[in-house]
Amino acid sequence: LYSSAASDVYKRQVAITFDDNNQIRVLDAEKYKETENLKNESLSFLKKIVNFNEMVGGVVEVLNNQAQKIEEEKLKSVGMRNKIEGESESRKKKAQELQNLINEKKMELERLQAQHESLLKVTAEQKLLIDKLTNNESQFIGMIQH
């Protein structure tokens, strides 16, 4: 009883037919066409997904390349900023060194000017002494001659 009832249900669900090419089909022609359409749509969808994945891969690659370029430029800009900051410090240090040299030269100039004035004073004193001695000598010679 059970097997004959199941057999009746199975007979009603399965319809064996022949298609236009005389091939045996378990599905009726309408369902077979729907299945073929679904298969074609699925293949079309799969192709679109593959194409989309390729495009996304291309975009990701471009973005990665741009990100790498950006990182390289960031590193360059950090390096340039450090160089500029170092240059600023270097200029300040050089300016300080030059100011120190100027101060040393001013002090040396003052020392040399003082030494020059001292030598001029000594020279003047020596000339006075020579003149005095010359006058005294001529007076002495004059006294001796008289």
Side-chain angles (χ1 to χ4, degrees):
L1 199 167
Y2 179 73
S3 64
S4 72
S7 175
D8 288 341
V9 170
Y10 182 72
K11 286 181 184 176
R12 278 185 253 146
Q13 288 179 351
V14 177
I16 298 176
T17 58
F18 292 95
D19 65 6
D20 294 338
N21 296 331
N22 293 324
Q23 293 187 347
I24 298 176
R25 298 288 176 203
V26 177
L27 293 175
D28 64 6
E30 177 96 11
K31 288 191 179 191
Y32 179 74
K33 284 181 185 178
E34 288 177 12
T35 305
E36 284 294 313
N37 284 341
L38 184 60
K39 177 181 128 184
N40 291 336
E41 287 177 16
S42 296
L43 289 174
S44 174
F45 180 73
L46 182 62
K47 287 179 185 176
K48 288 178 183 177
I49 292 294
V50 168
N51 188 26
F52 179 74
N53 279 339
E54 289 173 357
M55 288 188 330
V56 167
V59 169
V60 167
E61 184 178 339
V62 167
L63 291 176
N64 285 339
N65 288 339
Q66 289 299 322
Q68 184 177 358
K69 288 179 185 177
I70 289 169
E71 285 300 316
E72 289 171 1
E73 290 301 317
K74 278 183 184 179
L75 290 175
K76 284 181 186 177
S77 67
V78 167
M80 290 299 281
R81 183 176 58 218
N82 289 343
K83 185 177 179 181
I84 289 169
E85 288 173 358
E87 185 67 28
S88 174
E89 292 297 320
S90 174
R91 285 184 183 188
K92 286 178 184 176
K93 184 178 177 183
K94 184 69 174 175
Q96 185 62 42
E97 288 173 0
L98 291 174
Q99 188 61 47
N100 289 342
L101 184 62
I102 289 170
N103 292 339
E104 288 174 14
K105 294 297 180 183
K106 281 183 179 179
M107 289 173 53
E108 185 178 356
L109 176 63
E110 289 173 7
R111 182 184 60 79
L112 289 173
Q113 284 176 336
Q115 185 179 8
H116 182 262
E117 288 175 16
S118 173
L119 289 173
L120 287 176
K121 191 175 181 182
V122 167
T123 304
E125 288 174 359
Q126 287 177 350
K127 279 186 182 180
L128 278 174
L129 184 60
I130 290 172
D131 286 344
K132 215 183 215 187
L133 289 174
T134 306
N135 284 339
N136 283 343
E137 186 180 317
S138 45
Q139 284 177 1
F140 180 71
I141 294 177
M143 283 175 41
I144 294 178
Q145 288 177 353
H146 284 266

mmCIF file of all heavy atoms in Angstrom, residues 20 28 41 44 70 82 128 131 143 145:
data_model
loop_
_atom_site.group_PDB
_atom_site.id
_atom_site.type_symbol
_atom_site.label_atom_id
_atom_site.label_comp_id
_atom_site.label_asym_id
_atom_site.label_seq_id
_atom_site.Cartn_x
_atom_site.Cartn_y
_atom_site.Cartn_z
ATOM 1 N N ASP A 20 12.912 18.663 -28.647
ATOM 2 C CA ASP A 20 12.911 18.867 -30.094
ATOM 3 C C ASP A 20 14.001 18.057 -30.782
ATOM 4 O O ASP A 20 13.901 17.757 -31.975
ATOM 5 C CB ASP A 20 13.102 20.355 -30.418
ATOM 6 C CG ASP A 20 11.912 21.177 -29.936
ATOM 7 O OD1 ASP A 20 10.830 20.591 -29.751
ATOM 8 O OD2 ASP A 20 12.086 22.401 -29.725
ATOM 9 N N ASP A 28 9.684 18.677 -17.728
ATOM 10 C CA ASP A 28 8.896 19.071 -18.891
ATOM 11 C C ASP A 28 9.620 20.225 -19.584
ATOM 12 O O ASP A 28 10.523 20.846 -19.037
ATOM 13 C CB ASP A 28 7.466 19.440 -18.482
ATOM 14 C CG ASP A 28 7.395 20.641 -17.572
ATOM 15 O OD1 ASP A 28 8.439 21.261 -17.332
ATOM 16 O OD2 ASP A 28 6.282 20.972 -17.103
ATOM 17 N N GLU A 41 21.651 32.847 -16.982
ATOM 18 C CA GLU A 41 21.709 34.039 -16.136
ATOM 19 C C GLU A 41 22.792 33.892 -15.070
ATOM 20 O O GLU A 41 23.502 34.839 -14.760
ATOM 21 C CB GLU A 41 20.360 34.303 -15.492
ATOM 22 C CG GLU A 41 19.318 34.839 -16.454
ATOM 23 C CD GLU A 41 17.960 35.027 -15.797
ATOM 24 O OE1 GLU A 41 17.894 35.029 -14.531
ATOM 25 O OE2 GLU A 41 16.979 35.186 -16.530
ATOM 26 N N SER A 44 26.107 34.391 -16.734
ATOM 27 C CA SER A 44 26.266 35.815 -17.009
ATOM 28 C C SER A 44 26.615 36.574 -15.721
ATOM 29 O O SER A 44 27.509 37.415 -15.703
ATOM 30 C CB SER A 44 24.993 36.372 -17.629
ATOM 31 O OG SER A 44 25.077 37.759 -17.785
ATOM 32 N N ILE A 70 52.437 58.182 -1.859
ATOM 33 C CA ILE A 70 52.147 59.151 -0.799
ATOM 34 C C ILE A 70 53.104 58.956 0.371
ATOM 35 O O ILE A 70 53.644 59.927 0.919
ATOM 36 C CB ILE A 70 50.671 59.045 -0.349
ATOM 37 C CG1 ILE A 70 49.760 59.581 -1.448
ATOM 38 C CG2 ILE A 70 50.431 59.777 0.966
ATOM 39 C CD1 ILE A 70 48.292 59.295 -1.233
ATOM 40 N N ASN A 82 63.296 68.193 8.261
ATOM 41 C CA ASN A 82 64.425 68.009 9.175
ATOM 42 C C ASN A 82 65.669 68.731 8.657
ATOM 43 O O ASN A 82 66.414 69.330 9.427
ATOM 44 C CB ASN A 82 64.720 66.523 9.366
ATOM 45 C CG ASN A 82 63.653 65.825 10.174
ATOM 46 O OD1 ASN A 82 62.860 66.462 10.865
ATOM 47 N ND2 ASN A 82 63.611 64.507 10.086
ATOM 48 N N LEU A 128 111.246 113.815 23.220
ATOM 49 C CA LEU A 128 111.470 114.908 24.160
ATOM 50 C C LEU A 128 112.796 114.735 24.883
ATOM 51 O O LEU A 128 113.562 115.690 25.045
ATOM 52 C CB LEU A 128 110.334 114.969 25.185
ATOM 53 C CG LEU A 128 109.064 115.670 24.766
ATOM 54 C CD1 LEU A 128 107.984 115.519 25.845
ATOM 55 C CD2 LEU A 128 109.325 117.141 24.508
ATOM 56 N N ASP A 131 115.525 115.432 22.478
ATOM 57 C CA ASP A 131 115.621 116.880 22.291
ATOM 58 C C ASP A 131 116.260 117.547 23.511
ATOM 59 O O ASP A 131 117.098 118.440 23.390
ATOM 60 C CB ASP A 131 114.243 117.495 22.034
ATOM 61 C CG ASP A 131 113.720 117.189 20.639
ATOM 62 O OD1 ASP A 131 114.525 116.769 19.789
ATOM 63 O OD2 ASP A 131 112.483 117.351 20.408
ATOM 64 N N MET A 143 129.244 125.631 26.541
ATOM 65 C CA MET A 143 129.912 126.028 27.771
ATOM 66 C C MET A 143 131.366 125.626 27.716
ATOM 67 O O MET A 143 132.247 126.332 28.206
ATOM 68 C CB MET A 143 129.248 125.359 28.976
ATOM 69 C CG MET A 143 127.978 126.035 29.317
ATOM 70 S SD MET A 143 127.028 125.281 30.628
ATOM 71 C CE MET A 143 128.039 124.770 31.858
ATOM 72 N N GLN A 145 133.191 125.361 25.057
ATOM 73 C CA GLN A 145 133.839 126.153 24.028
ATOM 74 C C GLN A 145 134.037 127.594 24.524
ATOM 75 O O GLN A 145 134.871 128.305 24.018
ATOM 76 C CB GLN A 145 133.046 126.170 22.733
ATOM 77 C CG GLN A 145 133.118 124.870 22.031
ATOM 78 C CD GLN A 145 132.239 124.900 20.767
ATOM 79 O OE1 GLN A 145 131.516 125.813 20.509
ATOM 80 N NE2 GLN A 145 132.350 123.839 20.009
#
